[in-house]
Amino acid sequence: MAEPVLELSGVSKSFGALAAADNVALTLMPGEIHALIGPNGAGKSTLMALISGRHTPDAGTIRFAGRDITGLSVARRARLGLGRTFQVSSLIPEYTALRNVMLALQARQGHPYRFVRPVRRDRSLTGPAHDLLARVGLAGRAGVPSETLSHGERRLLELAVALALAPKAFLLDEPMAGLGADGARTLTAFLDGLRAEAPILLVEHDMDAVFALADRVSVLASGQVIATGTVDEIRADPQVRRAYLGDGEEA
Amino acid sequence: MDERRRELTINAVLALGLLAAPLVALAVDEPFYVTLATRVTLLALAGVGLNLALGLGGMVSFGHAAYFGLGGYVAGILAHHAFNGTPVLLGLPGTDQMIVIWVVAMVLAGLLAAVIGALSLRTSGIFFIMITLAFAQMLYYFMLSWPAYGGEDGLPIFLRNGIPGLDTMRPWDMFVISYGVLLAALALFAMLRGARFGAALMAIRQNPDRAAAVGIAPFGVKLAAFAASGMITGLAGALMADLNGFVSPAMMAWQTSGELIVICILGGVGRLFGPVAGAAILVGFETVFGGLTQHWQLFLGLVLLLVVLFARGGLIGLIAGRQRHG
């Protein structure tokens, strides 16, 4: 059996008396889309923060690409190949779409302590950045500051920035949030193809997208993973229906 | 791109205007104004240093007087020992060579900024402002109470330090030296801003979480910028002490830190020529209104208020728009 790209074991994190993550075990296998669902307050955001390095767990270990990353900083984890998007778009507001992607590309190419060569004329940055924008459908918006892009365009730019890292795993936090039905369908098709590049851990409220994309689904409730399985298994799981889809009622 | 051209134009006007002012003053035999232009130049240089931390990195240092004053004391102390023929410490002699003084001033100011930065960059906002202020005030009171180099009376530089081939006692030569150093600092600022380092630094100012998420650790980049910032301001301090022929703890006082921030805000925070415009405005007010009333700072305060309320981008922003260009 293949090694998991990302593996959480026994991960716990409390804020005061609240156990936001409680002994969580989770794996992300090569080539899969693993969806993480759960009601509001279930601990999805905390789990994403623990994986990305924003929080450090109180207990447990996180392994990524064959090494223990439990104690590493956000930046170190990103350099190891963890490409993430944020639940609320988080870009460099005054930078154009192109420069947002160029920043990720330069970080992937090495340390930022390069003081002489201007980035504007650096073909190793501008070339791939244009390609990536074209790939997410933002070719015509390269010169627009990200703060003046539309909400949907910013979601796509987040994705282009994550792609620029050529990550070993994607960590996507509600990429569909705020997109219209058309946008969500386009993005679903895009993510479907993306899993061939790197596996995706997907937090998403859009159940159509989750059921269409996910190879496996984990259900989080009160900080615990209460079930993991295929879409059909999760739909049939009585515990899940109680905790998430509503007490015994058809969802 | 129109705004970009306008900013380049105003930059050229400022650079040439600053060069023309002392030439006109010499032509009409008013050497005082040559020295005044030199003062503008050196305050601008100190401002360029602060602008690197404040403008590009968003680090509101309220303690840059520490580096400015340290540079000043390096010039004063080394000249003092060269004049008396006594060793500075551990048998090392003093010097009256400006270039040696500049190097020492930059190294020491850079080290001081690195230490202060390492201790204060873990905080942000008002805490960062207060910690940088506290460090600068510590240094201020130390120099005030240390009698070896004049204490609160300060330390005179009897003979202005020299550069081979130039007569630094002549106002024009002193101006040319200062102007050349300012242009070099501006070129360095523009280069850093355009390079990967600047791209990372400006990104961290706007959104440190995003920078970290693409793999750029904010702390190191900010610390490097802060140290470079202190070096430039320290160099300006060394030259200013030589221009004044005098260094005192006042150079390290919080008012000096405030003046440097005012210079950046008046001209335009983060703009290449912002500190040049700001220093010209400050010294202009000091000269024009200072001749009329002791309370000239009242007028400066009014202008500062207007800028903060209605022209956030300072003078450069007023003319060339909000966006930051070369």
Side-chain angles (χ1 to χ4, degrees), chain B:
Chain B
M1 283 298 107
D2 187 38
E3 288 189 344
R4 186 184 165 77
R5 196 170 307 139
R6 258 190 283 174
E7 178 153 358
L8 289 174
T9 309
I10 188 180
N11 291 353
V13 168
L14 284 166
L16 293 174
L18 186 55
L19 182 62
L23 284 172
V24 173
L26 278 182
V28 299
D29 199 24
E30 290 275 10
F32 166 72
Y33 288 101
V34 179
T35 298
L36 202 65
T38 312
R39 196 173 136 70
V40 171
T41 307
L42 294 179
L43 279 176
L45 178 64
V48 171
L50 178 61
N51 204 21
L52 193 59
L54 175 69
L56 300 189
M59 295 172 270
V60 186
S61 166
F62 197 14
H64 259 50
Y67 319 117
F68 193 61
L70 179 65
Y73 271 102
V74 167
I77 290 171
L78 290 182
H80 172 78
H81 286 287
F83 190 76
N84 293 339
T86 51
V88 181
L89 77 170
L90 307 171
L92 285 168
T95 178
D96 57 6
Q97 287 304 306
M98 274 193 188
I99 292 172
V100 179
I101 288 170
W102 296 349
V103 172
V104 176
M106 283 197 288
V107 168
L108 291 182
L111 284 175
L112 181 67
V115 171
I116 291 178
L119 294 169
S120 49
L121 279 171
R122 310 208 175 261
T123 67
S124 60
I126 188 73
F127 299 103
F128 181 76
I129 297 174
M130 286 299 126
I131 289 181
T132 51
L133 171 65
F135 277 116
Q137 289 298 94
M138 274 167 55
L139 216 63
Y140 166 74
Y141 284 112
F142 178 76
M143 289 319 294
L144 200 70
S145 56
W146 191 24
Y149 297 109
E152 63 179 319
D153 296 330
L155 183 66
I157 300 174
F158 295 114
L159 284 173
R160 191 174 280 169
N161 296 299
I163 287 185
L166 289 167
D167 180 3
T168 55
M169 288 308 289
R170 287 173 51 198
W172 170 251
D173 288 37
M174 189 63 191
F175 172 79
V176 168
I177 292 163
S178 304
Y179 189 74
V181 172
L182 174 64
L183 289 188
L186 287 168
L188 178 74
F189 183 94
M191 187 183 81
L192 291 179
R193 187 178 58 173
R196 291 186 178 202
F197 179 73
L201 182 62
M202 291 186 291
I204 290 164
R205 166 172 58 80
Q206 297 171 57
N207 189 344
D209 289 341
R210 170 39 85 188
V214 297
I216 297 170
F219 183 76
V221 175
K222 284 166 82 172
L223 186 60
F226 198 74
S229 167
M231 287 172 85
I232 295 173
T233 301
L235 174 61
L239 275 156
M240 189 63 100
D242 249 329
L243 178 70
N244 295 339
F246 180 67
V247 50
S248 80
M251 266 181 99
M252 289 178 167
W254 64 269
Q255 288 92 336
T256 307
S257 298
E259 256 181 20
L260 294 179
I261 295 178
V262 167
I263 283 171
C264 286
I265 293 175
L266 286 178
V269 173
R271 312 300 278 252
L272 178 60
F273 270 73
V276 181
I281 297 171
L282 183 90
V283 174
F285 267 71
E286 194 179 49
T287 311
V288 175
F289 293 105
L292 301 175
T293 164
Q294 229 181 318
H295 308 293
W296 63 274
Q297 282 170 328
L298 184 68
F299 297 98
L300 188 72
L302 280 174
V303 170
L304 186 62
L305 197 66
L306 290 175
V307 166
V308 172
L309 287 176
F310 302 113
R312 284 286 182 81
L315 183 72
I316 308 265
L318 205 59
I319 294 168
R322 205 178 77 85
Q323 289 263 307
R324 289 167 179 172
H325 308 287

